[in-house]
Amino acid sequence: MDLQLSGKVAVVTGASQGIGLAVTRTLLAEGARVVAASRRRSPELDALEGDLLHVPADLMDPEEPGRVVARAVAEFGGLDILVNNAGGPPPGVDLPRFSFMAPTDDDWREMFEFNLFSAVRAMRAAIPPMLARGGGAIVNVSTGGARLPAPMNVDYNAAKAGLTNLAKAVSEEYAPQGIRVNTVSPGPVRTAWWTKSGGAADIIAAATGSDRDDVLTKVAPEMMALSTGRLVEPQEIADVVVLLASPRSASTTGADFAVDGGFLKQV
């Protein structure tokens, strides 16, 4: 299926690995021109082929989201797509945390800066150039935890719940002007958050008396009641993100798509 993305200009945040890398790869394969924002490059990002520009950015800095968008407009002449993918543990933080009492005030501030406010700033910067081109598409990557609150990662889930709410509000304001805003809510995804040394697999293994391989293949899917019995792959998220960014989804806005292996059970 032709997604009608050839020549479109996209900004993807958190693009050097995981979901963001998969989204960037998929957009390039569809002929889009992509500005990939991340704190550092990666060999996997450098290996991608296509019309790609990496912009180093620390999205904890309030000025950086706007600078990334401005760079896309300057290099490619406008903006059609924004994928707010950057999120998860702020730099230097490992998750999960298991209790409401665990995060400090500073932890809460950093979590909201990274997972909500950076997206607010990116959307604020992206909307004017999208309006100048007659419309565009914004896709925010949230989490199933935004709709299924739990004591584990309470600060992260609260920040992402704000992001999910924000997308619906902005979609309502700008849909008449041609800008669609949607949310993709993953379950646990096999990314560095889980697999890196000291990451979620190791933390849960220590808490449950398991080993990290069992956590990734059995303990975590059972703990999160995943109907598929496995973690989600980044490409499975990317496929939905890119479809939502495409003109083929022209009547889809204000929606939240769960790509979570059956984590959310609610109707």
Side-chain angles (χ1 to χ4, degrees):
M1 180 171 67
D2 178 10
L3 295 183
Q4 302 173 8
L5 289 172
S6 181
K8 299 290 187 181
V9 179
V11 166
V12 181
T13 66
S16 63
Q17 59 183 350
I19 295 170
L21 179 68
V23 169
T24 300
R25 182 189 301 115
T26 306
L27 285 168
L28 290 170
E30 292 293 331
R33 296 175 287 175
V34 182
V35 172
S38 60
R39 283 178 295 140
R40 291 179 294 274
R41 306 180 72 98
S42 68
E44 294 82 4
L45 185 65
D46 289 340
L48 297 181
E49 296 182 356
D51 210 344
L52 174 66
L53 172 67
H54 177 255
V55 176
D58 179 359
L59 297 179
M60 298 286 282
D61 181 338
E63 301 300 320
E64 292 291 83
R67 185 180 67 82
V68 171
V69 170
R71 185 75 183 279
V73 173
E75 293 289 334
F76 294 126
L79 183 65
D80 303 293
I81 297 163
L82 170 66
V83 179
N84 279 313
N85 166 72
V93 174
D94 291 319
L95 295 179
R97 300 183 179 112
F98 294 100
S99 168
F100 166 70
M101 299 300 288
T104 66
D105 279 3
D106 286 342
D107 292 329
W108 278 91
R109 290 188 192 99
E110 290 183 353
M111 192 65 72
F112 270 67
E113 281 287 345
F114 194 40
N115 288 279
L116 178 59
F117 298 152
S118 68
V120 169
R121 293 164 183 142
M123 293 168 71
R124 187 187 293 145
I127 286 170
M130 286 184 177
L131 290 174
R133 285 162 83 92
I138 299 172
V139 184
N140 295 329
V141 178
S142 184
T143 178
R147 290 198 280 142
L148 189 61
M152 187 168 70
N153 297 334
V154 62
D155 49 342
Y156 171 72
N157 290 336
K160 289 296 195 181
L163 183 63
T164 300
N165 184 286
L166 172 71
K168 288 186 176 290
V170 178
S171 73
E172 184 69 15
E173 180 173 358
Y174 287 99
Q177 300 174 68
I179 296 178
R180 299 180 298 105
V181 188
N182 291 290
T183 303
V184 174
S185 292
V189 184
R190 188 181 284 270
T191 63
W193 176 353
W194 281 86
T195 61
K196 71 178 182 179
S197 177
D202 287 335
I203 293 170
I204 293 173
T208 60
S210 306
D211 66 55
R212 68 185 333 270
D213 290 338
D214 281 345
V215 168
L216 291 169
T217 60
K218 188 168 186 282
V219 175
E222 289 179 355
M223 181 173 64
M224 302 184 76
L226 302 185
S227 302
T228 59
R230 62 172 178 83
L231 302 189
V232 182
E233 295 296 331
Q235 187 62 51
E236 294 169 326
I237 308 298
D239 289 340
V240 178
V241 169
V242 174
L243 178 60
L244 289 172
S246 162
R248 300 298 291 263
S249 297
S251 289
T252 303
T253 192
D256 179 17
F257 287 79
V259 187
D260 63 3
F263 171 65
L264 287 172
K265 311 297 185 187
Q266 302 95 319
V267 175

